[in-house]
Every structure is written in C-alpha cells, then in structure tokens.
Amino acid sequence: MIRRRTAAALLASPLLLTGCGGGAGAAERRTAARRPAPAPTPATSAPRAPRGIPGLGPERSAAIPARCEQAVVVTGRGKDSPLCTVVLHQRTDTGWRAGPAWPAHNALRGWSAHHLIGDLRSPLGVYTLSDAGGLLPDPGSRLPYHRSGGFHSPGTGFEGEPLEGSFDYVIAIDYNREPGTSPLDWTRPLGPGRGGGVWLHVDHGGPTHGCVSVAKAHMKDLLRTLDPGRHPVVVMGYADWLAH
C-alpha cells in the first residue's frame, strides 16, 4: 500500500516529474514567454533636398543655366523696397540645398526690369558671377580676384552711414559688363545709359545705388565658396517677381 501511494504521488506531482533538468527547461520557457519582443528598428532616411529652388517660379527657374550648380538668390521684400535676403543654394545629386539666409540691402528705390543709370534701382534678372576683387587682400576667393586701390569707397550713404569699407570685398554681377575682367572695368555692352558696376559687396547699413550688400563675413563666405567650375549665378528680384 505504501509503495502504491508513493507511485501515485510521483505520477500526480508535476514538480517531481520534471526533475532538475526538466524544471530548469520549464523555467526558461516561462522566462522567455515573459521577455518582451525587441522593438522594431525605425526606418530612417536622409532628408531630401528640394528639386527646385524654393521661391522661384518656372520662368525664373528656367532662366538658370542647366550647368549651374551654385545660385545666389536675392529676394527683395517688395518692388520698391531696399531690403532683401540673400541665400546661397548649391545643387546636389538629389536637388538644391539652401545655406543660411542673410539680411541684405539692394537699391534705394527697389527693382527695375529696365535698369538705367541713376534710377536707384537694382536690375531684375539672372546673371553669371565671373570675377571678384576688393581693397583688401584676397581672402581665399575661388573666383579670379582683382585687388586694387580703386575699390576705395569714401563718403556717406543715403541714411548718413559711412561707406568706407563697402568695397573691401566685391563680386561683380555680370549685368552690362564684360565677364573675365576686373569689376572696375567700365566696358558697357548695352551702352553707358543702362548703368553698370552692379556688385555684391560689403553692407554699409543702408540702401545701395544698384548693388546688393551683405555683411563682410558673408562676403568672405561667398568668395571662398563660389567656384567657377560650378558656374555660379545670381538670381535677383523682389519676391513676387521671382515667383513667376
């Protein structure tokens, strides 16, 4: 009777049936059942650059040469405003990438589709950037750099601000000029009445006669970044015009 009760107890006890090895396996299975499944790895992808340049409509975008890989976009606040913003865009394999936005000035009376000498308006359009220069030594320009004392800028601006230092660094905008020459060259293919000497230059804190001006540090950035091999251009005008 004792042997039958023992055998029955052995059959009835699951702990005794599993034994040490069996009990350990069951514990592992229970632990595995409680262990949370690993979290799925989130899918990541590099942000894509926009295919086109933001703010430019189809007409302005089409005016940018196909080989151009650097575009300085000057966006004016309005047709008659001397305030604008400058952004350097660079073409990548996935589209255009924008640099930081820099506050800037354009001409006192804003913009003109038919710039004339003395109208105090900046010319609308897309223009190549071929040459640079300045009163100060070359800061590392990739564009041909023409240093000259002729870049001296005395006097005061429209708001009484001193103009000294405005031409420490300049980049010639190829409006009514001969590319491949110093920004100081006075050749005017459209004739002298259509103005000229339109540059990117150091900001003096007020409106210009026709140029676009940014801070000296930003001029250095442009000089060191704009590469003739990437065929840089400037796209300049007020926002509504650029959007066409």
Side-chain angles (χ1 to χ4, degrees):
M1 287 297 295
I2 294 172
R3 286 196 296 272
R4 283 197 297 272
R5 285 196 296 270
T6 303
L10 286 170
L11 289 170
S13 172
L15 288 175
L16 292 175
L17 281 172
T18 57
C20 290
E28 288 175 0
R29 287 193 293 273
R30 288 193 298 273
T31 303
R34 290 194 300 267
R35 188 179 300 131
T41 303
T44 59
S45 59
R48 294 181 64 84
R51 284 290 176 184
I53 296 177
L56 299 190
E59 289 184 35
R60 309 309 168 219
S61 297
I64 299 175
R67 65 179 185 172
C68 168
E69 297 178 351
Q70 294 178 317
V72 179
V73 178
V74 181
T75 304
R77 292 192 185 179
K79 182 179 180 181
D80 301 318
S81 172
L83 300 175
C84 59
T85 301
V86 170
V87 177
L88 172 60
H89 296 260
Q90 301 199 67
R91 196 192 296 267
T92 71
D93 291 339
T94 58
W96 289 94
R97 287 197 181 276
W102 300 327
H105 285 95
N106 52 273
L108 177 68
R109 295 178 181 167
W111 301 90
S112 172
H114 189 79
H115 175 62
L116 298 172
I117 190 168
D119 66 5
L120 299 181
R121 292 183 179 272
S122 298
L124 298 163
V126 178
Y127 306 101
T128 54
L129 300 171
S130 307
D131 301 278
L135 188 66
L136 297 183
D138 184 351
S141 174
R142 296 189 176 193
L143 297 170
Y145 190 86
H146 308 261
R147 186 186 182 192
S148 170
F151 289 104
H152 182 56
S153 52
T156 57
F158 294 109
E159 298 179 355
E161 74 280 10
L163 299 179
E164 189 64 40
S166 301
F167 303 152
D168 283 353
Y169 303 115
V170 311
I171 297 171
I173 294 170
D174 291 340
Y175 167 81
N176 200 20
R177 71 176 297 270
E178 191 67 41
T181 63
S182 165
L184 294 173
D185 184 90
W186 288 99
T187 302
R188 299 289 180 254
L190 300 176
R194 294 294 304 277
V198 181
W199 300 339
L200 291 161
H201 66 68
V202 176
D203 189 68
H204 45 76
T208 71
H209 282 78
C211 299
V212 173
S213 60
V214 296
K216 179 178 282 190
H218 303 329
M219 279 301 301
K220 286 184 178 180
D221 288 342
L222 288 173
L223 287 166
R224 293 166 179 165
T225 304
L226 295 177
D227 182 350
R230 303 191 69 188
H231 310 287
V233 303
V234 61
V235 185
M236 49 195 286
Y238 55 97
D240 289 347
W241 183 86
L242 291 175
H244 283 80

PDB file of all heavy atoms in Angstrom, residues 57 96 110 114 120 127 129 138 171 185 187 210 218 227 237:
ATOM      1  N   GLY A  57       9.652  80.623 -59.388  1.00  0.00           N
ATOM      2  CA  GLY A  57       8.659  80.039 -60.261  1.00  0.00           C
ATOM      3  C   GLY A  57       9.287  79.435 -61.507  1.00  0.00           C
ATOM      4  O   GLY A  57      10.513  79.460 -61.691  1.00  0.00           O
ATOM      5  N   TRP A  96      18.500  70.911 -54.918  1.00  0.00           N
ATOM      6  CA  TRP A  96      19.167  72.111 -54.418  1.00  0.00           C
ATOM      7  C   TRP A  96      19.129  72.143 -52.890  1.00  0.00           C
ATOM      8  O   TRP A  96      18.093  71.884 -52.281  1.00  0.00           O
ATOM      9  CB  TRP A  96      18.484  73.361 -54.960  1.00  0.00           C
ATOM     10  CG  TRP A  96      18.695  73.601 -56.417  1.00  0.00           C
ATOM     11  CD1 TRP A  96      17.880  73.203 -57.437  1.00  0.00           C
ATOM     12  CD2 TRP A  96      19.788  74.294 -57.026  1.00  0.00           C
ATOM     13  NE1 TRP A  96      18.394  73.615 -58.641  1.00  0.00           N
ATOM     14  CE2 TRP A  96      19.570  74.298 -58.417  1.00  0.00           C
ATOM     15  CE3 TRP A  96      20.926  74.935 -56.520  1.00  0.00           C
ATOM     16  CZ2 TRP A  96      20.437  74.892 -59.318  1.00  0.00           C
ATOM     17  CZ3 TRP A  96      21.805  75.535 -57.409  1.00  0.00           C
ATOM     18  CH2 TRP A  96      21.563  75.510 -58.780  1.00  0.00           C
ATOM     19  N   GLY A 110      14.331 100.143 -54.890  1.00  0.00           N
ATOM     20  CA  GLY A 110      13.866  98.796 -55.181  1.00  0.00           C
ATOM     21  C   GLY A 110      14.438  98.219 -56.463  1.00  0.00           C
ATOM     22  O   GLY A 110      15.660  98.199 -56.651  1.00  0.00           O
ATOM     23  N   HIS A 114      14.212  97.298 -66.373  1.00  0.00           N
ATOM     24  CA  HIS A 114      14.978  98.007 -67.409  1.00  0.00           C
ATOM     25  C   HIS A 114      15.846  99.042 -66.691  1.00  0.00           C
ATOM     26  O   HIS A 114      15.568 100.245 -66.734  1.00  0.00           O
ATOM     27  CB  HIS A 114      14.029  98.665 -68.419  1.00  0.00           C
ATOM     28  CG  HIS A 114      14.729  99.234 -69.620  1.00  0.00           C
ATOM     29  ND1 HIS A 114      15.143  98.449 -70.670  1.00  0.00           N
ATOM     30  CD2 HIS A 114      15.088 100.512 -69.934  1.00  0.00           C
ATOM     31  CE1 HIS A 114      15.720  99.215 -71.588  1.00  0.00           C
ATOM     32  NE2 HIS A 114      15.709 100.469 -71.153  1.00  0.00           N
ATOM     33  N   LEU A 120      18.460 104.423 -59.336  1.00  0.00           N
ATOM     34  CA  LEU A 120      18.489 103.960 -57.942  1.00  0.00           C
ATOM     35  C   LEU A 120      17.632 102.717 -57.742  1.00  0.00           C
ATOM     36  O   LEU A 120      16.972 102.529 -56.716  1.00  0.00           O
ATOM     37  CB  LEU A 120      18.059 105.070 -56.984  1.00  0.00           C
ATOM     38  CG  LEU A 120      18.930 106.335 -56.995  1.00  0.00           C
ATOM     39  CD1 LEU A 120      18.411 107.353 -55.986  1.00  0.00           C
ATOM     40  CD2 LEU A 120      20.391 105.992 -56.699  1.00  0.00           C
ATOM     41  N   TYR A 127      22.007  86.484 -63.557  1.00  0.00           N
ATOM     42  CA  TYR A 127      23.292  86.914 -64.113  1.00  0.00           C
ATOM     43  C   TYR A 127      24.415  85.999 -63.615  1.00  0.00           C
ATOM     44  O   TYR A 127      24.391  85.535 -62.465  1.00  0.00           O
ATOM     45  CB  TYR A 127      23.604  88.364 -63.699  1.00  0.00           C
ATOM     46  CG  TYR A 127      22.504  89.331 -64.052  1.00  0.00           C
ATOM     47  CD1 TYR A 127      21.608  89.775 -63.082  1.00  0.00           C
ATOM     48  CD2 TYR A 127      22.343  89.793 -65.360  1.00  0.00           C
ATOM     49  CE1 TYR A 127      20.586  90.655 -63.395  1.00  0.00           C
ATOM     50  CE2 TYR A 127      21.315  90.672 -65.681  1.00  0.00           C
ATOM     51  CZ  TYR A 127      20.442  91.104 -64.697  1.00  0.00           C
ATOM     52  OH  TYR A 127      19.419  91.974 -65.028  1.00  0.00           O
ATOM     53  N   LEU A 129      28.240  85.046 -62.384  1.00  0.00           N
ATOM     54  CA  LEU A 129      29.213  85.639 -61.460  1.00  0.00           C
ATOM     55  C   LEU A 129      30.591  85.131 -61.870  1.00  0.00           C
ATOM     56  O   LEU A 129      30.895  83.949 -61.703  1.00  0.00           O
ATOM     57  CB  LEU A 129      28.891  85.239 -60.015  1.00  0.00           C
ATOM     58  CG  LEU A 129      27.516  85.667 -59.494  1.00  0.00           C
ATOM     59  CD1 LEU A 129      27.232  85.025 -58.141  1.00  0.00           C
ATOM     60  CD2 LEU A 129      27.426  87.187 -59.390  1.00  0.00           C
ATOM     61  N   ASP A 138      43.211  89.142 -51.080  1.00  0.00           N
ATOM     62  CA  ASP A 138      42.363  88.012 -51.405  1.00  0.00           C
ATOM     63  C   ASP A 138      42.161  87.135 -50.160  1.00  0.00           C
ATOM     64  O   ASP A 138      43.124  86.632 -49.590  1.00  0.00           O
ATOM     65  CB  ASP A 138      43.032  87.201 -52.523  1.00  0.00           C
ATOM     66  CG  ASP A 138      42.196  86.043 -53.008  1.00  0.00           C
ATOM     67  OD1 ASP A 138      41.155  85.736 -52.386  1.00  0.00           O
ATOM     68  OD2 ASP A 138      42.605  85.421 -54.007  1.00  0.00           O
ATOM     69  N   ILE A 171      31.989  91.145 -55.536  1.00  0.00           N
ATOM     70  CA  ILE A 171      31.819  90.158 -56.608  1.00  0.00           C
ATOM     71  C   ILE A 171      31.012  90.847 -57.696  1.00  0.00           C
ATOM     72  O   ILE A 171      29.906  91.353 -57.438  1.00  0.00           O
ATOM     73  CB  ILE A 171      31.082  88.900 -56.120  1.00  0.00           C
ATOM     74  CG1 ILE A 171      31.906  88.187 -55.036  1.00  0.00           C
ATOM     75  CG2 ILE A 171      30.812  87.947 -57.284  1.00  0.00           C
ATOM     76  CD1 ILE A 171      31.151  87.060 -54.339  1.00  0.00           C
ATOM     77  N   ASP A 185      36.432  97.346 -64.449  1.00  0.00           N
ATOM     78  CA  ASP A 185      36.406  97.594 -65.893  1.00  0.00           C
ATOM     79  C   ASP A 185      35.082  98.264 -66.278  1.00  0.00           C
ATOM     80  O   ASP A 185      34.008  97.839 -65.842  1.00  0.00           O
ATOM     81  CB  ASP A 185      36.566  96.270 -66.645  1.00  0.00           C
ATOM     82  CG  ASP A 185      36.654  96.472 -68.143  1.00  0.00           C
ATOM     83  OD1 ASP A 185      37.769  96.639 -68.648  1.00  0.00           O
ATOM     84  OD2 ASP A 185      35.579  96.478 -68.807  1.00  0.00           O
ATOM     85  N   THR A 187      33.747  98.670 -69.385  1.00  0.00           N
ATOM     86  CA  THR A 187      33.121  98.275 -70.645  1.00  0.00           C
ATOM     87  C   THR A 187      31.632  98.033 -70.415  1.00  0.00           C
ATOM     88  O   THR A 187      31.247  97.306 -69.491  1.00  0.00           O
ATOM     89  CB  THR A 187      33.774  96.996 -71.198  1.00  0.00           C
ATOM     90  OG1 THR A 187      35.175  97.220 -71.372  1.00  0.00           O
ATOM     91  CG2 THR A 187      33.147  96.590 -72.529  1.00  0.00           C
ATOM     92  N   GLY A 210      22.512 100.444 -56.610  1.00  0.00           N
ATOM     93  CA  GLY A 210      22.029  99.413 -57.522  1.00  0.00           C
ATOM     94  C   GLY A 210      22.560  98.034 -57.152  1.00  0.00           C
ATOM     95  O   GLY A 210      22.092  97.025 -57.679  1.00  0.00           O
ATOM     96  N   HIS A 218      29.851  87.393 -44.538  1.00  0.00           N
ATOM     97  CA  HIS A 218      29.123  86.654 -45.569  1.00  0.00           C
ATOM     98  C   HIS A 218      29.776  86.836 -46.939  1.00  0.00           C
ATOM     99  O   HIS A 218      29.762  85.907 -47.765  1.00  0.00           O
ATOM    100  CB  HIS A 218      27.667  87.091 -45.605  1.00  0.00           C
ATOM    101  CG  HIS A 218      26.959  86.939 -44.286  1.00  0.00           C
ATOM    102  ND1 HIS A 218      27.284  85.959 -43.373  1.00  0.00           N
ATOM    103  CD2 HIS A 218      25.952  87.656 -43.721  1.00  0.00           C
ATOM    104  CE1 HIS A 218      26.510  86.066 -42.316  1.00  0.00           C
ATOM    105  NE2 HIS A 218      25.700  87.092 -42.490  1.00  0.00           N
ATOM    106  N   ASP A 227      32.494  78.808 -56.974  1.00  0.00           N
ATOM    107  CA  ASP A 227      33.521  78.096 -57.730  1.00  0.00           C
ATOM    108  C   ASP A 227      33.245  78.256 -59.223  1.00  0.00           C
ATOM    109  O   ASP A 227      32.165  77.861 -59.692  1.00  0.00           O
ATOM    110  CB  ASP A 227      33.474  76.623 -57.321  1.00  0.00           C
ATOM    111  CG  ASP A 227      34.529  75.772 -57.989  1.00  0.00           C
ATOM    112  OD1 ASP A 227      35.207  76.253 -58.924  1.00  0.00           O
ATOM    113  OD2 ASP A 227      34.674  74.606 -57.583  1.00  0.00           O
ATOM    114  N   GLY A 237      15.713  89.756 -57.458  1.00  0.00           N
ATOM    115  CA  GLY A 237      14.461  90.462 -57.693  1.00  0.00           C
ATOM    116  C   GLY A 237      13.587  90.412 -56.454  1.00  0.00           C
ATOM    117  O   GLY A 237      13.933  89.780 -55.462  1.00  0.00           O
TER     118      GLY A 237
END
